Amino acid sequence: MGLPIVVSLTSNPCVFSPKISKISFRHFNKHLVGHLSTDKTFKPTLQFPLFSSRDLHPSRNRSHFIPSVKSSYSSTSGSIFDSPIVSDFSIDKLKKEVTELNPIRVLKWVVLGSIAVALVKWTVSTLLSPFFWMYFSWTWVFWPWYIAIGLAVYGIYGYSKHIKGEASVVEQLAIVTAAFTWLTLVPPGYANGFLEGWPFVFCFVYHYFFFLNVSIRKRLYGDFYVGEHDPKWDIATPVWQRLLFCVGVMAGHWFAAFEAPQLHLIPGGWRNLGIWGLIMSTVFLHYHSTLYLAKYSEKVVVPTAVVQFGPYRWIRHPIYASTGLLFLTYFTALHAPLSSLFIVAVCLMYYDQKVKLEEGLMVDTFGDVYTEYMKKVRYKFIPFVY
């Protein structure tokens, strides 16, 4: 059995067993000096610079000793090794990360690295291409078909989940975006070979227009959802009528794209003020119609009274009228008069069938009150016309 080692840690020497020889220190211009506690743990503290190794000897009563090469130890407190920078970049942690590597993790990082390199190369080559700078802008861009097809596929997938009541918010947004993309962007992009001006504007207008209902519900009721209500108010026409309406709206937008002149030939300047006026009128009509209806109904679904204020003083169904006016405004912006007549006919035929169902339910619910309102306001969609 070897003799115990005597090291001077304070003013008095103490004896400890070689069992704690695992203690190690780094090479710094400051060294650690401490004392042994009753539980045989070493408590280091920072002292002044080290003396040379020749001044150190186990048998001498000195307060300094040479640190070992090993770079980690346990049970330290208040030392520089507690720094997160030192711990984050320690050799032991690096060894642990390397030993924990597996083929799946290596493959994942290789794939991610390859994708990143490919994206960087594609971005650099695109930005250095003169074709890109010649034809690319916010108002003139060749239509990327792969994006349109991808949106359509994802929109159909989201709609299949929406029918089951399982669609998330992102999937519902994808349904709307895919539909409006194939209404306002794809037809003129295909007919003209590029996109410019009004199609971009109306893509955003369509989104804003059809989300007004949701925003009003959020403001009045605090959520985006319809909630539980009497199912008799879920008024819907037969499936074949709804399908024909969707086909008619899509066909009308494609007809307008081919009927319209080249996008760069559509006159602008002061003539566009009339289009902007129609856009603002459409949005205001839809907004105020939905707002007045929401004040006299539950979640904009179940009416609690007959609304006779705002736009309802002039026509009985201003929400449907605003939808048809939106389509008509887009066709007017593209200078497609024949397609405008077509879309008006499609909207009148479909909404007229839906209005018959709604007005029958309103008469059953409110009786003479709604009958008197129908006599007072004779026009359904177009003031002084129909």
Side-chain angles (χ1 to χ4, degrees):
M1 182 173 181
L3 295 176
I5 300 174
V6 180
V7 180
S8 178
L9 300 175
T10 59
S11 58
N12 297 319
C14 62
V15 180
F16 66 99
S17 172
K19 292 181 180 180
I20 64 171
S21 59
K22 293 181 179 180
I23 299 173
S24 62
F25 305 91
R26 298 177 182 270
H27 295 285
F28 288 94
N29 60 350
K30 295 182 179 181
H31 71 284
L32 297 173
V33 177
H35 61 277
L36 291 175
S37 62
T38 56
D39 58 355
K40 297 182 180 181
T41 59
F42 187 74
K43 306 297 183 180
T45 57
L46 287 172
Q47 292 290 332
F48 296 100
L50 291 172
F51 292 108
S52 62
S53 58
R54 58 185 175 83
D55 295 329
L56 302 176
H57 193 277
S59 62
R60 297 178 184 177
N61 186 14
R62 295 184 182 273
S63 60
H64 311 294
F65 52 89
I66 298 176
S68 63
V69 177
K70 198 171 181 179
S71 60
S72 62
Y73 66 95
S74 60
S75 302
T76 60
S77 62
S79 70
I80 192 172
F81 301 104
D82 291 332
S83 172
I85 299 178
V86 175
S87 61
D88 288 344
F89 293 96
S90 64
I91 301 299
D92 292 340
K93 185 173 182 179
L94 180 60
K95 290 180 179 179
K96 182 180 179 181
E97 293 291 337
V98 173
T99 55
E100 290 180 354
L101 286 178
N102 55 64
I104 296 179
R105 183 174 295 183
V106 172
L107 178 62
K108 180 185 72 173
W109 286 111
V110 169
V111 171
L112 291 177
S114 302
I115 294 175
V117 171
L119 287 176
V120 171
K121 292 177 64 177
W122 178 82
T123 303
V124 172
S125 62
T126 301
L127 294 178
L128 295 180
S129 172
F131 180 83
F132 174 83
W133 295 109
M134 183 180 299
Y135 292 106
F136 179 81
S137 70
W138 285 109
T139 58
W140 192 351
V141 58
F142 284 81
W143 178 246
W145 282 99
Y146 54 89
I147 296 180
I149 296 173
L151 278 174
V153 172
Y154 189 67
I156 294 173
Y157 166 75
Y159 185 72
S160 65
K161 296 185 65 176
H162 177 70
I163 295 175
K164 303 175 183 178
E166 302 174 352
S168 64
V169 176
V170 175
E171 290 166 345
Q172 295 180 44
L173 181 61
I175 297 171
V176 178
T177 302
F180 295 158
T181 298
W182 280 83
L183 285 178
T184 61
L185 296 181
V186 175
Y190 179 79
N192 294 274
F194 64 93
L195 291 174
E196 184 180 17
W198 285 120
F200 287 112
V201 173
F202 277 90
C203 184
F204 290 102
V205 171
Y206 275 37
H207 277 82
Y208 182 72
F209 179 90
F210 286 99
F211 278 107
L212 279 177
N213 191 354
V214 179
S215 63
I216 291 174
R217 183 182 290 118
K218 172 66 175 179
R219 191 181 74 177
L220 295 180
Y221 305 111
D223 58 52
F224 297 104
Y225 305 99
V226 175
E228 297 182 359
H229 60 278
D230 190 344
K232 75 175 183 179
W233 292 101
D234 294 330
I235 302 171
T237 57
V239 176
W240 66 270
Q241 290 185 3
R242 283 178 283 167
L243 182 60
L244 282 179
F245 175 70
C246 294
V247 172
V249 170
M250 179 65 73
H253 282 74
W254 279 87
F255 292 159
F258 283 96
E259 181 189 359
Q262 294 291 319
L263 294 178
H264 66 280
L265 298 178
I266 295 177
W270 291 102
R271 297 184 182 183
N272 288 339
L273 288 179
I275 304 299
W276 284 109
L278 285 174
I279 292 174
M280 299 305 295
S281 300
T282 302
V283 172
F284 284 143
L285 176 61
H286 186 75
Y287 175 78
H288 287 288
S289 302
T290 306
L291 184 61
Y292 276 105
L293 181 64
K295 289 181 178 179
Y296 295 94
S297 65
E298 297 176 0
K299 294 295 182 74
V300 203
V301 176
V302 181
T304 57
V306 178
V307 183
Q308 304 183 39
F309 307 99
Y312 293 91
R313 294 178 296 175
W314 307 99
I315 52 179
R316 299 201 297 266
H317 303 280
I319 294 179
Y320 298 150
S322 64
T323 304
L325 182 59
L326 176 67
F327 297 150
L328 179 62
T329 302
Y330 176 59
F331 292 0
T332 303
L334 293 184
H335 290 257
L338 296 179
S339 300
S340 300
L341 295 176
F342 175 80
I343 198 66
V344 169
V346 169
C347 291
L348 288 178
M349 287 189 294
Y350 173 74
Y351 287 127
D352 189 64
Q353 297 299 317
K354 191 171 184 179
V355 159
K356 289 180 180 179
L357 300 175
E358 291 185 0
E359 290 183 344
L361 185 57
M362 291 293 288
V363 171
D364 294 340
T365 304
F366 298 102
D368 295 337
V369 177
Y370 195 78
T371 303
E372 291 296 326
Y373 171 71
M374 293 175 65
K375 293 179 180 179
K376 180 181 177 181
V377 181
R378 297 186 300 166
Y379 306 103
K380 298 179 182 180
F381 308 112
I382 308 173
F384 310 108
V385 178
Y386 182 77

